[in-house]
Structure formats: structure tokens, C-alpha cells
Amino acid sequence: MAMSRRLAVKVERPDSQQLTAEETQELAYLRTLIEQAVADGVVTKEEESNIRARVLHSKPRYELLSQELAMYRELVTSKVNAGLLAGEIFTDF
């Protein structure tokens, strides 16, 4: 029985900059949105759509987008893969 494992690769970007206060606030809002969606153990199509819309709206900098995607994978995708979260539909960004 073969098991596949995903390995997390941390990419260092020495030229990256810290998030601005506004970007940090956006990231915090997204975390709240995701945590509310997963709290009952099921993510509806509407909740997933709201999360996707929030993540995929125009991003001025790579740093914010990469942190949002990492958060989605941590809070949603990893739980789906572990069988801890169900949903009507799931996609990986």
C-alpha cells in the first residue's frame, strides 16, 4: 500500500518586505472569515466562494498573496486532507 506525502517547502525571499498595517489587517480579516467557515466542520459552497473571492481579489504585493494562500492551505486544505473538514466543494488555490 503506497502512501503519498506532501512535503512543505519553505521558500526564502531575502528581498521580501514585511506586510504593511493595511495588509496585516486584510490577512487578519481573511483568517477570521476562514475560521468562521470551518468552525462547524463543514464549509458550504457560499463560504468557499467568499473565501476564494477574498483571496483572489487584486493583490498589490506577492508577500500578502503568498501568506493568504499559505493560511488557506493551513486552515482548510490540510484539514480536508486529514478528514477533519467536509465541504460541498473544495478547490486548492
Side-chain angles (χ1 to χ4, degrees):
M1 175 184 240
M3 295 180 85
S4 66
R5 290 185 111 170
R6 281 188 162 174
L7 297 176
V9 177
K10 184 171 183 171
V11 177
E12 296 290 332
R13 293 188 59 231
D15 61 336
S16 67
Q17 299 174 2
Q18 290 188 345
L19 297 180
T20 65
E22 182 179 311
E23 291 169 331
T24 300
Q25 191 173 25
E26 283 186 47
L27 193 61
Y29 177 80
L30 179 64
R31 176 174 288 278
T32 300
L33 185 67
I34 292 172
E35 288 174 343
Q36 288 173 349
V38 302
D40 64 356
V42 177
V43 178
T44 66
K45 288 179 184 179
E46 181 180 352
E47 289 169 331
E48 195 268 343
S49 178
N50 290 341
I51 292 167
R52 175 181 288 279
R54 187 69 187 180
V55 169
L56 296 178
H57 80 282
S58 178
K59 298 288 178 236
R61 296 191 321 135
Y62 170 82
E63 286 81 7
L64 178 59
L65 178 60
S66 67
Q67 287 191 31
E68 287 178 334
L69 294 174
M71 184 182 346
Y72 179 86
R73 288 184 189 108
E74 172 194 339
L75 298 175
V76 178
T77 306
S78 65
K79 290 180 181 179
V80 169
N81 292 339
L84 302 173
L85 183 63
E88 295 174 9
I89 183 171
F90 281 104
T91 57
D92 197 5
F93 291 108

